[in-house]
Structures are given as C-alpha cells and as structure tokens.
Amino acid sequence: MNLTSVVLSVKVGDEPDVCCPVCQDPPVIVKKPVNMTVPLGGSFTLDCTAWGDPRPQIKLLHNRPEEFVHVHLNPDQSVKPGLSRASLKIDVMTEDREGRYTCFVNSIGGSKEAHAHVTLQRN
C-alpha cells in the first residue's frame, strides 16, 4: 500500500459574545475550493471558508470511485467570529488523489456544499 502525506489545517472563529437562541441563519460559503490540474508527484491545496451564525463546521471529503474518504478537521479558535476556514494540503499527487473533492459546511441553521475536481496532469 502506497501512503501519501496529508496535512490538514483549520482555523475556526470565536463564539460571539452574546448568544442569540433564535439566530439560526444557514451558513454561507465565502471561498469555495477550485478545480485544478496537478502533475504526478506535485502538491496541491484546497481551501474552503464559510460564515454563519452559529459558526459552521467544515468537513472535506474526497470521492474516489472505489471509496468515499472522510477527512475530519479540528477547530482552532483564531479567526473572526462566525468564520470557519479549512485547508487540505496533499504533498504528493498520485493517481488515487484524482477526483472530486467536496467541502461540506454544516450548522444548526442548515448546510451547504461546494465541489472541486482535481485532475492528474497526463503528458
């Protein structure tokens, strides 16, 4: 089995000073992951940023034909209130990293998703 190095980093916004029990707006994806073509052995990073009240959680998933890989992200309290930001960095592009990546954003107010396709550059 060939292992690929995967580095995850997440920054999640602070809780608001005042909790509003009726505030349940759906999250908004303010930065979507983008489609890209990557050479074999190259690296790439997918970014996703969302805002919401309450603060949304983000999950990045890779949908390969043979499996559905779930990537969990851990929060780090260091950006603006209500803002969640996630990055998925792949250090070494291989054939099994090609495919559709999905950014799932979820909160009590609802959920959204955005997609990006990563294509292996073939010469």
Side-chain angles (χ1 to χ4, degrees):
M1 179 177 195
N2 188 5
L3 298 178
T4 301
S5 173
V6 177
V7 178
L8 298 175
S9 65
V10 175
K11 296 180 188 236
V12 178
D14 297 323
E15 291 294 331
D17 293 334
V18 178
C19 181
C20 176
V22 296
C23 295
Q24 296 183 358
D25 295 331
V28 176
I29 298 176
V30 295
K31 181 180 181 185
K32 298 177 182 181
V34 296
N35 297 335
M36 60 185 69
T37 301
V38 182
L40 186 65
S43 66
F44 67 93
T45 302
L46 294 169
D47 296 307
C48 187
T49 304
W51 182 90
D53 182 11
R55 180 189 66 223
Q57 298 297 313
I58 297 178
K59 294 178 186 174
L60 289 170
L61 301 128
H62 180 208
N63 186 12
R64 302 183 205 161
E66 69 278 5
E67 64 183 309
F68 199 60
V69 178
H70 195 112
V71 180
H72 291 280
L73 302 169
N74 299 316
D76 171 18
Q77 306 290 326
S78 62
V79 295
K80 295 179 183 178
L83 193 66
S84 297
R85 190 169 41 209
S87 294
L88 171 63
K89 182 174 195 246
I90 304 297
D91 289 327
V92 180
M93 178 64 173
T94 59
E95 287 186 18
D96 66 335
R97 293 292 174 196
E98 185 174 43
R100 184 171 100 164
Y101 288 79
T102 302
C103 173
F104 282 105
V105 178
N106 191 2
S107 75
I108 195 167
S111 61
K112 300 283 175 147
E113 61 184 69
H115 308 277
H117 291 273
V118 176
T119 305
L120 177 63
Q121 181 179 3
R122 292 173 168 82
N123 294 330

